[in-house]
Amino acid sequence: AGIHQLHFWWQVCNEFDTLYDSLNVATPPDLQLPEDTSFCEGDSVIVSLAEFPNARYTWQPDVSQTNRAILYQPGTYRVTVDNGCQATASLKLRQFPSIWVELGHEFFICEDDSEMVRLDAGKGFDRYRWYPTQDSTQWIDVTKTDSYFVMVSDFRGCNAEAGTRVKRRCPFYLYFPN
């Protein structure tokens, strides 16, 4: 690698002559791609390679023309770096199946009667975070009308969220004087 000096000499009719020249020898780029990996739906994977001077980067599929690519889709990605010598590496991305959480569209309570409704995000998640209550449990008991949201995470670190509205509905009473 680097610049090497070449020395040529020849003899013609008992005369010697010498020629000096330099030759720049390029080394193949050392590509360091991450291991094959999986990612959550809605996320991305950022791949950054070393920057090689005067190199051309060719990604297949065509996601970038530089040493950096942001990958949003599962599949096999191949990059070729050409700096006078070529090197190629590949990376396979798999996408975890999406997680799903459902609270229900809306619920009704009568705050006057101290009614309550239980909002349940479902079991099997590693983390729960409810808003606006900040609870971190699978379910919460609600006694006030408001909009409620939950964010959940599974064992792979994938996230999902859901929301619902708790509305007021009280029985209608008629009173007749006697």
Side-chain angles (χ1 to χ4, degrees), residues 80 85 94 111 127:
T80 301
C85 293
R94 289 175 297 281
E111 292 172 315
R127 287 185 310 217

Side-chain angles (χ1 to χ4, degrees), residues 16-146:
F16 291 92
D17 203 352
T18 304
L19 172 69
Y20 292 95
D21 200 356
S22 297
L23 175 66
N24 189 4
V25 178
T27 57
D30 181 20
L31 297 182
Q32 301 282 330
L33 280 179
E35 295 289 324
D36 291 351
T37 190
S38 298
F39 66 107
C40 300
E41 183 177 1
D43 288 347
S44 61
V45 174
I46 298 172
V47 178
S48 292
L49 302 171
E51 196 169 337
F52 299 100
N54 302 316
R56 187 180 45 179
Y57 298 84
T58 306
W59 290 84
Q60 293 175 348
D62 187 13
V63 292
S64 178
Q65 294 178 350
T66 68
N67 66 317
R68 185 170 184 222
I70 302 173
L71 310 176
Y72 297 96
Q73 298 294 323
T76 300
Y77 294 87
R78 195 169 87 174
V79 61
T80 301
V81 179
D82 186 343
N83 68 343
C85 293
Q86 284 189 354
T88 300
S90 63
L91 165 70
K92 184 171 185 170
L93 292 181
R94 289 175 297 281
Q95 190 174 53
F96 292 127
S98 58
I99 61 175
W100 186 71
V101 60
E102 176 66 38
L103 293 179
H105 182 62
E106 59 187 6
F107 296 89
F108 297 94
I109 60 172
C110 181
E111 292 172 315
D112 299 343
D113 294 340
S114 300
E115 287 183 353
M116 154 180 88
V117 65
R118 179 167 282 182
L119 303 179
D120 190 339
K123 63 182 176 179
F125 298 110
D126 280 5
R127 287 185 310 217
Y128 300 84
R129 176 62 63 191
W130 289 91
Y131 298 94
T133 66
Q134 302 301 318
D135 287 299
S136 59
T137 57
Q138 174 185 329
W139 50 266
I140 59 173
D141 290 325
V142 174
T143 58
K144 296 186 187 300
T145 58
D146 203 347

